[in-house]
Each structure stands twice: as C-alpha cells, then as structure tokens.
Amino acid sequence: GLTGGIGSGKTAAADFLAERGATVIDADVESRALTAEGGEALPRIREAFGDGVFDENGLLNRRALGNLVFGDREKRLALEGILHPMIQHRMIKKIRQAGVEDVPFVFLSVPLLFETGMDALCDETWCLSLPVEEQIRRVMARDDMTREEAVARIESQMPLEEKCRRASLVIRTNRPIEATQAELAVLLRELRRRLG
Ligand code: ATP
C-alpha cells in the first residue's frame, strides 16, 4: 500500500515504480474513470449534489464539487459513500486479475488507505511524508489553489503524522525527487528479491 497526504508525492512515486515495471493499481485513476464523461458514478453524484456540480456539457465540475465537499463534512461523507465502494470494487478486480497473471506483488496507491480500511488488504504500507507547510505549498502550486482551499483538503484527511505512525515504512519527499526515486529503487529491488 502506497499512501500519504494530498500532494505528498504518491503519483510521482507510483509513476516511478510503474516505469520500473511494477504493477500499480491507483485509486485516483479509478476515481477519475468513475467520474469521467459517461462514468458510472455520475448519476448518483447528480442525484446527491444536483446539477450545480456539472457544466453545460454534462461534465463533472471537479473544482465545484471539491469546494462543496471539502467545506462540509456531511457532504464529503456522502460523496465518499458513493465513490469508495465503487473504487474498491474496481481495484479488487484488478488485484484478482494480477493474481491470474502471476504478478508477484502489486502496489495499491490510495490516498485514504487507512481511512477506508484498505490497508487491511496490504502486507506492507509505505507512507510518503513531508512537512505540512511544504505540502500546502505544493498543493497550491500544482492545483493553482488558494491556501484556504489547500488547507481544507489537507484537513479533511487523517493527519499525515498519524498515517506515518501506522505505516510500515515512511519515505520522505521533501528533498530532490531523484533522492526519493533512488530510495524507491532500492526498496523495489529488495521487494523483488523477497517476492519476485
Ligand atoms: P494527490 O493526493 O493530490 O494526488 P500526490 O500525493 O499524488 O497528490 P504528487 O502529484 O505526486 O502528489 O506530487 C505533488 C507535487 O510534488 C508534484 O508537483 C510533484 O512533482 C512534487 N513532488 C513529488 N515528489 C517529490 C519529491 N520527492 N521531491 C520534490 N517534489 C516532489
């Protein structure tokens, strides 16, 4: 299980591991597929949140939905209630498929790994970690958000230090990305030695 806070470097780490030939099953990819044009989750999202979170072409306005749910705990839980079971269903199908194909191990990249209990599916959990100020700065820069928007998203998750406390391994990402990648390369080699 690969996890961390928003903007802590999960995607960058998952991309690197995938480039090195590892199988990565990413909750964000599944979530986007479910909410892309014609996505399976859209009817239920429209039912729960109304037309206001869709644009004139019927596409989901992620920013509007984000601002709605990250400012209101009940709405966030309602959205999670729609999406999380669908995401988990799709991920479990992919895990089974990897098993059929004799893939020796897979990474589950899940921002809410501990919050959703999906860590129970994992033999090992790696948490990507950085100081919260750096996290805010990266989220603001990457997503062109105000400080308030970034903080609302960060505060909706389990505190990063709690995730790190629960994880089997903590990987720091407040350093040049090459340093994180070098550590990941060693860890991947070691996993292959053990499980490959
Ligand atoms: P989210 O949960 O929002 O999807 P994430 O955990 O997937 O976020 P990334 O998108 O991978 O985070 O990283 C956030 C930003 O930080 C990106 O702009 C990325 O290039 C940068 N970044 C990631 N890892 C590092 C690192 N080790 N050193 C420096 N910058 C990094």
Side-chain angles (χ1 to χ4, degrees), residues 5-12 28 138 142 173 175-177 180:
I6 172 172
S8 66
K10 285 178 301 297
T11 306
D28 283 339
R138 280 189 198 174
R142 186 195 59 185
T173 59
R175 51 184 172 167
I177 198 153
T180 304

Side-chain angles (χ1 to χ4, degrees), residues 19-59:
E19 264 168 40
R20 295 284 168 119
T23 298
V24 179
I25 302 173
D26 186 329
D28 283 339
V29 169
E30 303 308 328
S31 175
R32 275 197 295 277
L34 287 162
T35 53
E37 195 173 3
E40 234 178 285
L42 295 186
R44 291 194 52 199
I45 291 176
R46 193 184 286 277
E47 198 185 311
F49 299 99
D51 295 335
V53 296
F54 289 86
D55 68 14
E56 62 277 13
N57 302 314
L59 294 179

Side-chain angles (χ1 to χ4, degrees), residues 141-156:
R142 186 195 59 185
D143 299 334
D144 192 25
M145 277 182 186
T146 63
R147 184 180 173 88
E148 209 182 9
E149 284 174 312
V151 168
R153 282 156 176 77
I154 290 167
E155 285 183 348
S156 77

Side-chain angles (χ1 to χ4, degrees), residues 20 51 62 87 94 103-104 106 119 122 129 139 142 150 160 173 181 188 193 196:
R20 295 284 168 119
D51 295 335
R62 291 169 199 280
I87 293 171
K94 289 192 172 175
V103 172
V106 298
D119 59 306
C122 305
S129 172
V139 173
R142 186 195 59 185
L160 190 50
T173 59
Q181 291 175 336
L188 183 59
R193 204 167 39 72

Side-chain angles (χ1 to χ4, degrees), residues 85-99:
M86 289 181 164
I87 293 171
Q88 285 180 22
H89 180 73
R90 290 169 68 104
M91 292 182 77
I92 287 167
K93 256 169 84 174
K94 289 192 172 175
I95 297 168
R96 292 222 176 92
Q97 185 56 35

